[in-house]
Amino acid sequence: MPKMKTRRAAAKRFKLTGSGKIKRAKAFRSHILTKKTSKRKRNLRKTSYVSASQEKVMKKLLPYL
């Protein structure tokens, strides 16, 4: 059986935490920031976790994470 390849685009965007959850950054923070409130932009800076329903998909994209 050959080795599985990691999706490099996904590898750059996701990290594994000590407890085994997959950490991700929030979207909607790259441009058109003038109409977004300071509070909203501040909250978008925080990291988030991949939902439980998406965990299985992510494990397939990142087999060695």
Side-chain angles (χ1 to χ4, degrees), residues 1-6 63-64:
M1 191 80 187
K3 290 186 209 174
M4 290 175 72
K5 283 192 173 181
T6 298
Y64 304 106

Side-chain angles (χ1 to χ4, degrees), residues 6-16 58 61-62 65:
T6 298
R7 300 297 172 115
R8 297 311 297 165
K12 292 167 189 174
R13 289 168 171 81
F14 300 96
K15 296 278 177 267
L16 199 67
M58 294 308 302
L61 294 177
L62 304 160
L65 189 67

Side-chain angles (χ1 to χ4, degrees), residues 36-49:
K36 292 168 190 159
T37 63
S38 299
K39 182 182 177 180
R40 184 172 165 193
K41 288 186 280 192
R42 188 166 59 247
N43 286 328
L44 287 171
R45 269 186 238 145
K46 299 173 186 174
T47 54
S48 182
Y49 299 103

Side-chain angles (χ1 to χ4, degrees), residues 31-37 41:
H31 62 104
I32 316 174
L33 297 172
T34 50
K35 63 174 80 169
K36 292 168 190 159
T37 63
K41 288 186 280 192

Side-chain angles (χ1 to χ4, degrees), residues 47-63:
T47 54
S48 182
Y49 299 103
V50 171
S51 65
S53 59
Q54 291 288 301
E55 288 259 352
K56 193 176 178 183
V57 176
M58 294 308 302
K59 295 284 183 188
K60 206 172 275 188
L61 294 177
L62 304 160

